[in-house]
Amino acid sequence: MPLLELRDVEARYGEVKALHGVTLSVDDGDFVAILGANGAGKTTTLRAISGMVKTTGQLSFEGARLFRRTPEAMARRGVAHVPEGRGTFATLSVLDNLRLGAWTQRGTSQRDLARVFEFFPLLYQRREQQAGTLSGGEQQMLALGRAMMAKPRLLLLDEPSLGLAPLVVREIFDALLRMNENGTTIVVVEQNATLALKAAKHAFVLETGRVVLGGVAADLRADESVRRSYLGY
Amino acid sequence: MTNFLQQIVSGLASGGIYGSLALAIVIIHRSTGVINFAQGEMATLSAFVCWTLLDHGWSFWPAFAATLILSFAGGVVIQQVLIRPLQGSPLLGVVILTIGLLIAINGLTTWIWGGAAKQFTGPFSTSPINVGGVAFSKQDIGVIAVSIIVVVLVGLLFTRTKLGLGLRAAAVNPVEARLVGVRVGAMLAVGWGLAAALGGVAGVMAAPSLFLEPNMMQTVLLYSFAAAVLGGMDSPVGAVVGGLVLGVLLNLAGTYIHWIGGELRLATALAVILGVLLLRPAGLFGHTAVRRV
Amino acid sequence: MKLLRRRLDGADQRSAGAGFAGAGAGFRRKLGALGLAIVVLAVLPIPLSEFRTVQLATVGAYFIAILGLDVLTGHSGQISLGHGAFIAVGAYTTAILMANHGVQDLWTIPIAAGVAGGIGLIAGVPALRLSGLYLALATFGIAVAFPTILKKFDHFTGGSTGITLFGKPTQTGHGVGVLGMTNNEWLYALTWTIAVFCFIVVWWLLGSRFGRSLRAIRDSELAAAASGINRSAYKVAAFGLSAAFAGVAGALLAINIAYVSPDTFPIQLSLFLLVGAVVGFFGSIWGAVLGALLILFLPDLVGLIPHVNTKQAGPTTLFFGLVLVVLMLVLPLVLRAGAAIANRGYPRAQ
């Protein structure tokens, strides 16, 4: 039984339909990449999962069909959504940001904090600083660290590599792989298809709000159309 | 010199009141962008409630505590019933609603308690206390003490508790706060309750010296606006500091600048508001834009 | 709010033509309504008592002030909680000229408009730099502080005791009456003639390029700037215009009541004006009459409720506030319903 299942999910922003019937599933422990061009509906798909947009169609999490989802409720169910642009609390300190990650937990355990600092030593150095003063890469680490504090069942990331230097991106994805090894299910939306397909186990390709291709990441990497459209060769 | 010190102390006392109400205004503004014009009248209502309890034989501090709890509840109710339905509509509409609330509460207080000024016996005696040869009013010192304690408690709430963290998160980035599981709606309600309670503190502290009547806090509201603007509309620290600075400033200006005297206090506060908004909109501690883009 | 304005301006766009707001079939209907209103106004005093007549005269003054506020808030998007101050300026100009300089009351009216309007133009410049909420804050402060300023400059304004115009020879209607009317009828005629005149002026202005530019600015400053409209000039002009109207209202109030003092212009006046403007649906100048009527006759309406003693100020004020609160809660719902109804017969915009 998959951890997350979407069937014919549709979503609209006012008059504009963004998702025209998305069907995909994610198993427990999986690392899934969602690829597609700008405007294909990748971000909207994540928003549909975390409850930020209203949808029609079926969405099941941990086997249970979820109808009206709110972000707060999904967070309590163990879904951590790191939106595009990191979504850090800019005027709060790094430490406060991390503490907020543990909001759904029963208090902030020092052990959880220590684990985040072990993953990202830089955050420990900057723990009293305002989150908005961190560099892009550091903010992404902070966003990841905050997600870690929530001990999520499912981690959703929207464009984690956006605007970051290659070395920093590598660090981020290394951290993601470690998290996945420790059992966290990860769904990543990425424009950087090469990187995403290397890290992920499975992948889906979205075009104009629909899933047009899906399968094992290695297979997609070899696929002709994917190579031409998204990998550049 | 003696007079100077006395003016400073009494300025700090009024400043404590302005700061408390300004803090209430800033808390609501920070989390919702709304300027609650009814904050002063809500404070007056709190003061009247306290007076009624005292009139029924309650001793002061229990009455004060009960008033704060009732004020908190009132703030939550107002937010849930009147403000929440307007979430998402233009701010100006909400602000006009708070103006309606100002008028309505003013009418309500007049109706229930009448327009005549009432004597409000505060917890501090009005006899003077001698410090270093200078006579200070015990009441002033008491008000300063209460203001400091309240402000420190609120500060601790915001910085050291989980609730305070949630309140701050909801104010800074409500969308993201919901994603980590913070019930932003509940935080907003708590924010309004807290602001109402702070207003209650200001009202009860002001009542002994201002004479309790329905229009009591109208001028205080203007001073508190000036304090909030001076401190920076989004800075709680700024609100308190702004209040204290304004209180002292108004006293000193009134005493030493003859032309201002006692009659142009309001005009001076207005000048502060206009000056800050036009010359340095962020105030002393704020960082958000106040200007039209 | 935005939805409302687009609905009203739909009338502008559907019926082509410059000149008056809503020219076309709607125009003829509105002209007819105006004509009917004038006839009603002319005959209304006949069955009414003297007291009611002068009350209605006061309604007329408020109506003029609300018209100005409509232009400012409804059409140029700037909020003012301080227009009571401009009314006071107009009233005091009239009072001082009549009492101390022997000017006939009629002539003080344009002067009051000029003085208030001038101050409004000056005030409109710094107002440009304040966004909605902060402008509300600043104008609130002006309204609260203004009476104390009036009291301070007492050699000029007569201080707390104010200025009495009763019995002064500069009153036109005093004693003998004018043109066969009693004094109260004269006040009524004067006020409403000017009110109708102001209404036509505003109606024309709002339909003209001035009005369209204002609404363009209100709806999207960026788009307005892109089309080359000098936003600052228009907004300042709107401020000055609304202040001039308030000045006229103040002058008429001073003439009606024959007395001015700082305490007759408390913050409540500005706030009640706002209520009137909101009731008049912010920008609908036809609704301005409703607002003015509400301000004056709410005490009587409230008195209809059993167990409520309207001799006390409390219940009236309470209901005033409740009217505003309920209106603001209901408005978004009304607008949504109104938009749905209005759009039903029209093709959807692509």
Side-chain angles (χ1 to χ4, degrees):
Chain A
M1 189 202 52
L3 179 68
L4 171 74
E5 200 171 352
L6 274 70
R7 214 178 295 188
D8 286 319
V9 169
E10 295 188 355
R12 39 163 35 103
Y13 294 113
E15 295 285 317
V16 179
K17 210 190 231 187
L19 297 182
H20 288 83
V22 169
T23 302
L24 58 87
S25 72
V26 177
D27 288 323
D28 201 356
D30 209 343
F31 194 137
V32 171
I34 297 185
L35 311 172
N38 265 328
K42 312 190 296 294
T43 300
T44 312
T45 306
L46 290 189
R47 289 212 185 127
I49 299 171
S50 69
M52 288 174 78
V53 298
K54 287 214 246 294
T55 60
T56 55
Q58 279 193 42
L59 195 148
S60 313
F61 183 68
E62 293 187 309
R65 264 200 75 177
L66 301 178
F67 296 94
R68 297 238 203 108
R69 298 174 300 286
T70 61
E72 303 95 303
M74 292 310 285
R76 277 196 298 277
R77 283 178 177 276
V79 174
H81 180 172
V82 177
E84 202 178 347
R86 339 288 177 218
T88 49
F89 297 93
T91 48
L92 300 184
S93 71
V94 166
L95 207 47
D96 277 339
N97 270 267
L98 292 174
R99 288 195 189 112
L100 274 168
W103 184 266
T104 51
Q105 308 297 308
R106 204 171 306 219
T108 312
S109 95
Q110 289 302 112
R111 223 168 2 138
D112 293 334
L113 272 174
R115 217 158 46 100
V116 171
F117 289 137
E118 186 240 310
F119 258 73
F120 304 116
L122 243 146
L123 289 183
Y124 182 75
Q125 280 175 36
R126 303 210 191 288
R127 64 193 184 284
E128 299 289 354
Q129 265 183 253
Q130 272 196 3
T133 58
L134 267 55
S135 73
E138 288 160 350
Q139 287 199 38
Q140 188 60 275
M141 289 183 211
L142 177 58
L144 261 187
R146 203 185 62 215
M148 282 173 66
M149 293 295 292
K151 298 210 262 273
R153 294 277 283 127
L154 175 63
L155 174 58
L156 308 172
L157 288 131
D158 201 342
E159 310 265 8
S161 73
L162 202 60
L164 299 185
L167 221 58
V168 181
V169 174
R170 254 255 288 261
E171 270 194 75
I172 303 282
F173 269 82
D174 282 343
L176 285 178
L177 283 165
R178 274 177 70 186
M179 286 177 74
N180 186 236
E181 275 161 35
N182 288 342
T184 310
T185 312
I186 297 185
V187 174
V188 166
V189 155
E190 256 303 336
Q191 284 238 27
N192 186 339
T194 321
L195 181 65
L197 286 176
K198 264 199 227 138
K201 295 177 191 152
H202 291 93
F204 295 95
V205 178
L206 279 182
E207 245 171 58
T208 53
R210 254 181 273 263
V211 174
V212 296
L213 214 56
V216 177
D219 292 344
L220 259 78
R221 234 182 304 150
D223 181 286
E224 177 104 16
S225 58
V226 171
R227 274 171 39 203
R228 263 211 222 113
S229 310
Y230 301 105
L231 300 179
Y233 64 96
Chain B
M1 191 54 182
T2 316
N3 194 22
F4 184 70
L5 290 173
Q6 286 169 331
Q7 289 302 325
I8 291 195
V9 168
S10 90
L12 287 175
S14 1
I17 296 172
Y18 306 153
S20 301
L21 198 61
L23 186 56
I25 292 167
V26 165
I27 287 177
I28 290 182
H29 183 257
R30 227 162 88 102
S31 52
T32 58
V34 170
I35 297 182
N36 181 12
F37 276 88
Q39 205 78 61
E41 301 306 300
M42 287 166 66
T44 310
L45 183 57
S46 300
F48 268 107
V49 166
C50 191
W51 180 88
T52 307
L53 292 176
L54 292 175
D55 202 44
H56 277 76
W58 287 50
S59 56
F60 180 81
W61 295 106
F64 186 51
T67 304
L68 293 189
I69 294 174
L70 288 171
S71 305
F72 183 90
V76 170
V77 166
I78 289 177
Q79 193 273 337
Q80 290 287 297
V81 172
L82 299 178
I83 308 293
R84 193 173 54 147
L86 288 184
Q87 249 163 19
S89 19
L91 276 180
L92 221 48
V94 185
V95 169
I96 294 175
L97 184 138
T98 65
I99 293 172
L101 201 57
L102 180 171
I103 300 172
I105 296 180
N106 186 275
L108 182 70
T109 4
T110 315
W111 195 10
I112 298 181
W113 284 280
K118 293 185 175 14
Q119 183 81 307
F120 188 104
T121 339
F124 309 115
S125 81
T126 46
S127 60
I129 183 174
N130 225 294
V131 176
V134 185
F136 296 112
S137 152
K138 274 207 197 110
Q139 191 167 291
D140 281 348
I141 309 246
V143 168
I144 295 176
V146 168
S147 306
I148 293 180
I149 294 174
V150 165
V151 163
V152 165
L153 285 176
V154 169
L156 288 176
L157 174 78
F158 271 109
T159 51
R160 292 218 197 277
T161 66
K162 185 170 174 182
L163 174 65
L165 184 61
L167 285 169
R168 280 186 291 145
V172 168
N173 193 340
V175 171
E176 189 53 43
R178 297 182 72 195
L179 284 177
V180 295
V182 173
R183 284 201 201 83
V184 169
M187 292 297 134
L188 290 180
V190 169
W192 272 77
L194 193 60
L198 276 169
V201 171
V204 170
M205 289 296 115
S209 45
L210 289 185
F211 297 115
L212 183 59
E213 51 98 11
N215 296 328
M216 175 178 79
M217 293 298 267
Q218 268 167 19
T219 52
V220 178
L221 183 65
L222 187 62
Y223 295 136
S224 303
F225 278 150
V229 165
L230 180 62
M233 280 299 284
D234 280 354
S235 163
V237 170
V240 175
V241 170
L244 294 172
V245 166
L246 189 75
V248 172
L249 181 78
L250 287 176
N251 263 28
L252 293 180
T255 313
Y256 293 107
I257 304 180
H258 220 72
W259 181 67
I260 294 182
E263 304 137 328
L264 286 186
R265 262 178 89 97
L266 279 176
T268 313
L270 175 64
V272 168
I273 291 179
L274 294 178
V276 172
L277 286 183
L278 294 173
L279 299 175
R280 197 197 146 94
L284 294 174
F285 295 92
H287 36 241
T288 44
V290 152
R291 299 225 191 142
R292 262 190 206 285
V293 174
Chain C
M1 285 292 148
K2 262 213 169 88
L3 225 59
L4 167 67
R5 296 173 192 136
R6 290 215 193 94
R7 178 166 69 88
L8 289 172
D9 290 350
D12 276 33
Q13 285 147 27
R14 285 199 289 278
S15 36
F20 289 77
F27 174 65
R28 262 173 276 138
R29 207 182 335 125
K30 286 185 185 161
L31 195 59
L34 180 62
L36 182 64
I38 294 176
V39 170
V40 169
L41 283 171
V43 301
L44 202 53
I46 299 177
L48 292 179
S49 69
E50 292 277 318
F51 173 65
R52 285 288 185 218
T53 306
V54 80
Q55 255 200 330
L56 287 178
T58 316
V59 170
Y62 288 142
F63 170 67
I64 296 172
I66 293 177
L67 272 182
L69 208 53
D70 273 343
V71 170
L72 183 67
T73 314
H75 288 264
S76 84
Q78 305 175 80
I79 191 169
S80 164
L81 297 178
H83 263 50
F86 289 121
I87 294 183
V89 166
Y92 266 89
T93 307
T94 293
I96 293 171
L97 288 175
M98 280 177 68
N100 302 343
H101 300 275
V103 180
Q104 194 69 8
D105 53 8
L106 288 179
W107 302 127
T108 65
I109 298 177
I111 300 176
V115 172
I119 297 180
L121 283 176
I122 298 174
V125 175
L128 289 174
R129 294 170 54 163
L130 300 177
S131 73
L133 291 192
Y134 295 98
L135 186 58
L137 195 65
T139 51
F140 179 82
I142 293 173
V144 172
F146 202 64
T148 58
I149 298 177
L150 286 174
K151 285 183 196 169
K152 176 70 180 177
F153 295 95
D154 51 3
H155 55 275
F156 200 45
T157 62
S160 306
T161 43
I163 303 174
T164 313
L165 301 171
F166 196 70
K168 291 271 195 297
T170 43
Q171 287 187 297
T172 304
H174 168 63
V176 180
V178 179
L179 307 174
M181 292 184 267
T182 64
N183 189 29
N184 289 331
E185 285 169 350
W186 157 247
L187 290 173
Y188 174 91
L190 173 69
T191 309
W192 279 104
T193 311
I194 296 180
V196 168
F197 173 69
C198 289
F199 181 83
I200 295 175
V201 166
V202 170
W203 192 20
W204 174 77
L205 264 180
L206 289 181
S208 73
R209 196 166 138 211
F210 179 74
R212 283 199 298 277
S213 305
L214 277 187
R215 286 189 293 283
I217 295 170
R218 175 199 68 200
D219 289 336
S220 168
E221 292 231 12
L222 226 52
S227 20
I229 299 176
N230 185 344
R231 296 167 298 156
S232 309
Y234 277 103
K235 282 159 94 172
V236 171
F239 218 92
L241 184 73
S242 67
F245 272 58
V248 170
L252 287 168
L253 282 172
I255 294 171
N256 272 350
I257 305 173
Y259 173 65
V260 295
S261 88
D263 294 318
T264 52
F265 306 104
I267 179 70
Q268 277 84 349
L269 178 62
S270 298
L271 296 182
F272 288 177
L273 274 185
L274 187 73
V275 177
V278 172
V279 166
F281 272 84
F282 257 171
S284 163
I285 53 183
W286 300 88
V289 187
L290 254 176
L293 284 171
L294 180 75
I295 295 180
L296 209 57
F297 289 113
L298 192 64
D300 295 321
L301 289 174
V302 168
L304 294 173
I305 302 175
H307 303 303
V308 169
N309 178 6
T310 48
K311 295 257 194 324
Q312 306 171 273
T316 315
T317 316
L318 171 63
F319 279 101
F320 234 113
L322 286 179
V323 163
L324 193 55
V325 169
V326 168
L327 267 178
M328 296 320 293
L329 283 175
V330 157
L331 212 55
L333 304 169
V334 167
L335 294 179
R336 240 172 278 158
I341 296 172
N343 283 332
R344 227 187 299 147
Y346 293 90
R348 288 203 159 266
Q350 280 314 312

